[in-house]
Amino acid sequence: MTTNIEQPYVYRRRELVEPDWTRFPGWRDVTAAEWANAQWQRAHCVKNVGQLRDLMGDLLTEDFYADLERDQAERATMSMLVPPQMLNTMVSEMTWADGSMPAAGAAFTEAFLADPVRRYMLPVFSDRRTDWASHPFAARDSLHEHDMWAVEGLTHRYPTKVLAEMLPTCPQYCGHCTRMDLVGNSTPQIVKLKLAGKPVDRHAAMLDYLQRTPQVRDVVVSGGDVANMPWKNLEGFLDKLLRIDNIRDIRLATKALMGLPQHWLQDDVVEGVARVSALARSRGVSLAIHTHVNHANSVTPLVADAAKAMLQAGVRDVRNQGVLMRGVNDTSEDLLDLCFALQDEAMITPYYFYMCDMIPFSEHWRLALHEAQHLQHSIMGYLPGFATPRIVCDVPFVGKRWVHQVDSYDRDKGMSFWRKNYRTSIEGEDAQALSREYVYYDPIYTLPEAGQEWWRSNTDVDEVHAAALAGAGASRDASARDLD
């Protein structure tokens, strides 16, 4: 039997690389000890165009800065906040075609614009669509999480699971953030909502609700990013949460495991995770960490060290929940390279890839449903089954659905129709919740010309939405009659 078979994807184990940060003019004198220090990383985050200039020196052209400034003024839904660890993976050694860094000026700027990590962490105006910058149904809280708050910051969306938004800040702000209405600083486009209660009161109210709601067994502890909570505060909350008998699963959500691994490598944090893990085991509770890595270039030795430190401290698993984004990870090669880097080198289990949510100014990132279905098909069979990520569409008012679970799909108009098998916390009295169909929309620019023209001609979005649901129901009823 021959083993020399040509395959669509060729697996190669790739050694992880910590890029040389001294290639950037502003970090030429930064020592390894400084780089490994979490406080140094936090203190040297890039928060504005001036700080990026100081870091880059003459590497970038003035056109790039003008492009970035325009985006910050006219499109950005998240303020700029990029840790050195993340910036260091942009135009890194892994991307150099001839083994040398692109020359300062036009060549480096071209490489920087093309860099997949830059594309979602430092978006520029020229990245965005000008025809359909936002979908007509884009919304600040596109998943309606606030509508499902049981108490402030606690979203009870699924029957047995809740999301605890512990705080509204992160160590890094991603351009595509699904919680852009609450997380981070206000931008010229988006005045952020504010959590009204004091943290200690909000957290107490969350715990009280969970004690009174025995059907909840699974808590995602998120924000924001839990890496921005003082460890003693986070541990205090987890200690109380672990003593609620009905809680069986706890997931800590932190992109900082990749964006600021230095935080999770601090002695006090590692020791604290070990204490919480031991308590979880004694209570029969599964404690896991969920992180958010979107490209293989982000998986460096420090990221692997942080993940392994968490596993050694006793967490049951470290899993990755990425987001599908055009120009970042929209090919099967991109996804498989990332999954193998996570699984082989960092002991992080590939878990989910979400379709990018329908928030304002996100259309240039979003993929159509059929593109996501193709990607799911293309990555099957290469990874172990337990490490083959599921690509999901987070359908408003429904929740996560595997992309092949769509009930029906009008590709010409870019409308997919979905059903649900449970009621959310806002549908307790809705007798039709389990029979109704819910709509998700493809980016309009991905549609055939006739579909795009239909959207240009139909500007009453409420009428469009209602007509789509009525049409889907009529089609379903007709199909049922045919079967009879």
Side-chain angles (χ1 to χ4, degrees):
M1 178 178 178
T2 181
T3 58
N4 186 24
I5 303 173
E6 183 178 350
Q7 300 289 2
Y9 173 82
V10 179
Y11 167 74
R12 296 185 185 90
R13 188 170 178 184
R14 295 171 173 85
E15 182 180 357
L16 298 187
V17 174
E18 200 71 52
D20 178 12
W21 56 85
T22 64
R23 72 188 185 282
F24 293 127
W27 292 336
R28 283 204 177 117
D29 299 323
V30 174
T31 66
E34 288 174 317
W35 191 262
N37 184 279
Q39 289 308 113
W40 185 93
Q41 288 278 329
R42 290 182 187 273
H44 291 84
C45 287
V46 169
K47 302 177 182 178
N48 54 56
V49 174
Q51 290 176 347
L52 185 64
R53 282 179 182 274
D54 292 341
L55 170 62
M56 293 295 181
D58 63 352
L59 290 176
L60 295 170
T61 65
E62 285 302 312
D63 288 346
F64 176 84
Y65 293 114
D67 205 1
L68 179 59
E69 286 175 331
R70 185 178 181 188
D71 194 76
Q72 289 286 303
E74 299 180 30
R75 291 289 184 268
T77 58
M78 298 297 291
S79 56
M80 194 185 304
L81 183 64
V82 190
Q85 177 72 26
M86 290 196 72
L87 266 165
N88 195 38
T89 63
M90 301 178 193
V91 195
S92 69
E93 291 89 325
M94 294 181 67
T95 69
W96 299 348
D98 60 358
S100 59
M101 189 170 79
F108 187 90
T109 301
E110 181 181 5
F112 200 63
L113 284 168
D115 189 89
V117 181
R118 193 286 309 167
R119 282 182 180 273
Y120 78 93
M121 288 304 301
L122 283 173
V124 293
F125 188 86
S126 61
D127 291 333
R128 314 267 186 180
R129 302 292 303 187
T130 55
D131 47 0
W132 297 101
S134 295
H135 194 280
F137 284 104
R140 290 172 53 121
D141 181 16
S142 66
L143 302 180
H144 304 278
E145 289 179 336
H146 297 173
D147 296 333
M148 303 178 203
W149 276 359
V151 298
E152 187 180 39
L154 189 74
T155 300
H156 192 169
R157 184 182 191 188
Y158 301 98
T160 62
K161 299 183 286 186
V162 296
L163 165 73
E165 296 177 73
M166 304 296 291
L167 73 172
T169 66
C170 299
Q172 66 284 303
Y173 292 141
C174 311
H176 64 282
C177 182
T178 189
R179 298 195 183 106
M180 42 71 59
D181 63 322
L182 175 68
V183 172
N185 305 311
S186 295
T187 72
Q189 290 69 245
I190 303 292
V191 177
K192 302 299 176 90
L193 302 178
K194 301 294 184 184
L195 293 168
K198 295 179 180 179
V200 64
D201 296 331
R202 286 192 295 103
H203 300 166
M206 291 177 184
L207 293 166
D208 177 67
Y209 178 81
L210 294 172
Q211 288 172 328
R212 293 184 288 103
T213 315
Q215 65 266 33
V216 174
R217 61 170 303 284
D218 183 355
V219 182
V220 178
V221 182
S222 183
D225 190 314
V226 295
N228 265 21
M229 280 188 74
W231 176 259
K232 63 180 179 63
N233 295 353
L234 178 57
E235 184 172 354
F237 179 84
L238 294 174
D239 184 82
K240 296 181 179 69
L241 183 59
L242 282 164
R243 297 178 193 281
I244 300 175
D245 287 339
N246 45 289
I247 302 305
R248 299 290 89 199
D249 275 287
I250 297 174
R251 293 175 271 171
L252 306 181
T254 173
K255 187 186 179 79
L257 192 75
M258 177 274 285
L260 191 70
Q262 293 85 351
H263 169 81
W264 293 101
L265 286 166
Q266 295 177 107
D267 290 343
D268 64 323
V269 174
V270 174
E271 292 164 5
V273 171
R275 288 191 297 270
V276 173
S277 297
L279 178 59
R281 285 194 303 275
S282 73
R283 301 281 297 176
V285 177
S286 174
L287 176 69
I289 289 179
H290 283 200
T291 193
H292 176 182
V293 189
N294 290 322
H295 196 273
N297 292 355
S298 297
V299 187
T300 75
L302 274 170
V303 174
D305 288 347
K308 292 171 184 176
M310 295 297 96
L311 292 167
Q312 290 166 3
V315 301
R316 175 175 174 171
D317 206 354
V318 180
R319 308 182 186 112
N320 185 60
Q321 298 185 163
V323 174
L324 281 185
M325 287 181 282
R326 198 176 305 281
V328 178
N329 53 21
D330 58 340
T331 70
S332 55
E333 290 79 7
D334 289 332
L335 292 183
L336 288 169
D337 283 350
L338 170 56
C339 290
F340 280 120
L342 293 167
Q343 178 73 8
D344 290 353
E345 312 304 333
M347 299 185 72
I348 298 173
T349 303
Y351 175 46
Y352 274 148
F353 281 101
Y354 289 83
M355 296 181 68
C356 187
D357 290 319
M358 292 174 57
I359 58 170
F361 304 121
S362 67
E363 291 304 276
H364 66 294
W365 282 309
R366 292 205 306 125
L367 273 65
L369 176 65
H370 65 86
E371 294 176 292
Q373 290 174 331
H374 172 73
L375 285 171
Q376 181 74 84
H377 171 82
S378 298
I379 66 174
M380 300 300 289
Y382 289 95
L383 291 147
F386 67 86
T388 299
R390 181 163 287 183
I391 299 177
V392 294
C393 180
D394 212 340
V395 183
F397 294 113
V398 175
K400 292 183 288 293
R401 286 292 182 269
W402 183 37
V403 289
H404 285 89
Q405 284 183 287
V406 63
D407 202 52
S408 60
Y409 186 16
D410 182 344
R411 283 183 58 170
D412 289 339
K413 294 186 177 70
M415 298 179 184
S416 52
F417 300 88
W418 309 77
R419 297 195 209 184
K420 61 199 299 183
N421 59 324
Y422 50 81
R423 291 179 175 86
T424 65
S425 57
I426 59 175
E427 296 165 324
E429 306 301 322
D430 186 351
Q432 305 302 315
L434 303 188
S435 58
R436 182 182 297 115
E437 288 186 313
Y438 299 80
V439 192
Y440 183 83
Y441 297 93
D442 287 346
I444 294 173
Y445 73 90
T446 66
L447 307 182
E449 181 53 39
Q452 295 188 45
E453 180 55 36
W454 185 89
W455 277 99
R456 284 190 285 267
S457 302
N458 289 272
T459 55
D460 187 330
V461 293
D462 292 332
E463 183 178 322
V464 165
H465 193 78
L469 290 172
S475 176
R476 182 183 66 251
D477 293 344
S479 296
R481 287 194 298 272
D482 290 344
L483 290 173
D484 293 339

